[in-house]
């Protein structure tokens, strides 16, 4: 019985230490960039390579942030990390067509997954994603979430972040990305290993044109402008 109590105390202490450690890590990442993510490690293990270069939101063209908001999460300035209507639509779609999978993740959820977790669709991962999404919304705020997302998102085989994507595909820095170039990078985000920006696949070409239309529609929005740094 004493042995069981000792084991239980150790488990509790370990849990408390891990909880404090992850909380401190979340707080630290409000100001420092993630050194490496699980997805980036996997890219190295699978021999896809790892190319990344972190830049601040101010060092990116406003088109970069606007493009991913237009493509991935148009309600990003307004929700608390979760777009419940999109999530419910995705669940309904997946029930009707179990052979296909549609996601309803916000930029906040994708950032939480990319920084703290692994790729996959298990309920454990989804539960952890919910926790980390809640925490970064409370601690980081929208600007930092968007900045981190644009720096850690996989944008091609072994390529991570908007800066490396801009350099690789267009031979320029992220701060110089045009509207159509930013839209092309955003168009590939659902599956950057499958959808090619250069040479541009038919999917990316078609989707990027729709993203540009949405960018033009969303650009005057004051809440979006406050996040992406436009005037």
């Amino acid at each position: 019985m004493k042995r069981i109590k000792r084991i239980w105390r150790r488990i509790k202490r370990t849990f408390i230490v891990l909880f404090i450690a992850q909380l401190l890590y979340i707080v630290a990442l409000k100001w420092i960039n993630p050194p490496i993510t699980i997805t980036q490690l996997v890219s190295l293990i699978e021999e896809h390579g790892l190319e990344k270069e972190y830049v601040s939101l101010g060092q990116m063209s406003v088109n970069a942030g606007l493009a991913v908001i237009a493509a991935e999460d148009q309600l990003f300035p307004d929700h608390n990390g979760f777009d419940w209507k999109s999530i419910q639509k995705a669940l309904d779609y997946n029930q009707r067509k179990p052979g296909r999978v549609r996601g309803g993740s916000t930029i906040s959820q994708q950032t939480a997954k990319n920084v703290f977790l692994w790729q996959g669709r298990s309920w454990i991962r989804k539960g952890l994603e919910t926790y980390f999404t809640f925490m970064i919304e409370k601690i980081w705020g929208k600007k930092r979430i968007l900045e981190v997302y644009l720096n850690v998102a996989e944008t091609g085989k072994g390529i991570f972040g908007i800066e490396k994507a801009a350099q690789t595909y267009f031979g320029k820095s992220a701060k110089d990305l045009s509207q159509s170039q930013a839209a092309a990078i955003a168009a590939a985000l659902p599956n950057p290993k499958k959808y090619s920006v250069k040479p541009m696949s038919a999917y990316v070409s078609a989707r990027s044109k729709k993203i540009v239309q949405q960018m033009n529609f969303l650009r005057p929005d004051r809440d979006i402008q406050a996040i992406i740094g436009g005037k």
Side-chain angles (χ1 to χ4, degrees):
M1 190 69 179
K2 289 183 179 179
R3 185 182 179 187
I4 293 174
K5 287 183 179 179
R6 283 199 303 271
I7 293 172
W8 177 240
R9 282 198 298 270
R10 288 176 182 172
I11 292 172
K12 286 196 292 185
R13 282 199 297 267
T14 301
F15 177 80
I16 291 170
V17 169
L18 289 174
F19 180 80
I20 294 173
Q22 62 82 30
L23 183 58
L24 291 174
Y25 187 56
I26 294 172
V27 173
L29 291 184
K30 181 177 174 67
W31 296 282
I32 65 174
N33 295 315
I36 197 165
T37 68
I38 294 175
T39 304
Q40 291 170 353
L41 279 173
V42 170
S43 181
L44 280 173
I45 292 169
E46 293 180 346
E47 299 183 344
H48 293 309
L50 173 55
E51 295 184 54
K52 62 175 183 174
E53 184 176 335
Y54 291 139
V55 293
S56 68
L57 204 57
Q59 293 173 298
M60 304 176 195
S61 165
V62 294
N63 290 317
L66 185 59
V68 297
I69 290 174
E72 301 285 294
D73 184 4
Q74 296 188 12
L75 296 179
F76 178 63
D78 307 312
H79 60 60
N80 62 354
F82 307 94
D83 181 354
W84 298 110
K85 288 185 178 180
S86 293
I87 291 172
Q88 187 57 55
K89 286 180 180 179
L91 289 172
D92 293 342
Y93 178 89
N94 295 339
Q95 286 178 349
R96 292 196 311 271
K97 300 183 179 181
R100 305 179 186 177
V101 178
R102 173 184 291 178
S105 295
T106 63
I107 286 174
S108 302
Q109 288 174 277
Q110 292 179 57
T111 304
K113 176 189 68 178
N114 288 339
V115 173
F116 302 103
L117 303 169
W118 60 94
Q119 304 297 319
R121 295 185 177 275
S122 69
W123 287 109
I124 292 175
R125 193 205 64 94
K126 207 66 182 172
L128 290 170
E129 179 188 293
T130 300
Y131 166 76
F132 283 113
T133 299
F134 174 82
M135 294 300 286
I136 64 175
E137 278 278 339
K138 294 297 182 183
I139 296 173
W140 293 4
K142 296 291 186 180
K143 276 196 171 186
R144 180 58 176 164
I145 290 172
L146 182 63
E147 181 176 87
V148 173
Y149 177 70
L150 285 165
N151 275 305
V152 302
E154 190 171 19
T155 50
K157 283 187 179 180
I159 303 170
F160 292 85
I162 194 73
E163 179 65 21
K164 272 299 175 185
Q167 293 175 10
T168 301
Y169 302 132
F170 303 111
K172 59 174 61 177
S173 173
K175 71 178 185 297
D176 297 319
L177 283 172
S178 69
Q179 182 170 261
S180 60
Q181 290 167 343
I185 294 171
L189 287 177
N191 194 336
K193 288 190 178 76
K194 178 180 179 181
Y195 305 127
S196 173
V197 177
K198 187 177 181 180
M200 189 174 292
S201 67
Y203 171 86
V204 169
S205 178
R207 187 166 187 250
S208 64
K209 291 174 184 176
K210 294 178 182 178
I211 292 172
V212 167
Q213 291 176 344
Q214 290 302 306
M215 290 171 71
N216 290 330
F217 175 75
L218 295 171
R219 193 178 294 275
D221 189 288
R222 291 182 180 180
D223 293 332
I224 291 177
Q225 286 294 324
I227 294 172
I228 64 176
K231 295 179 181 180

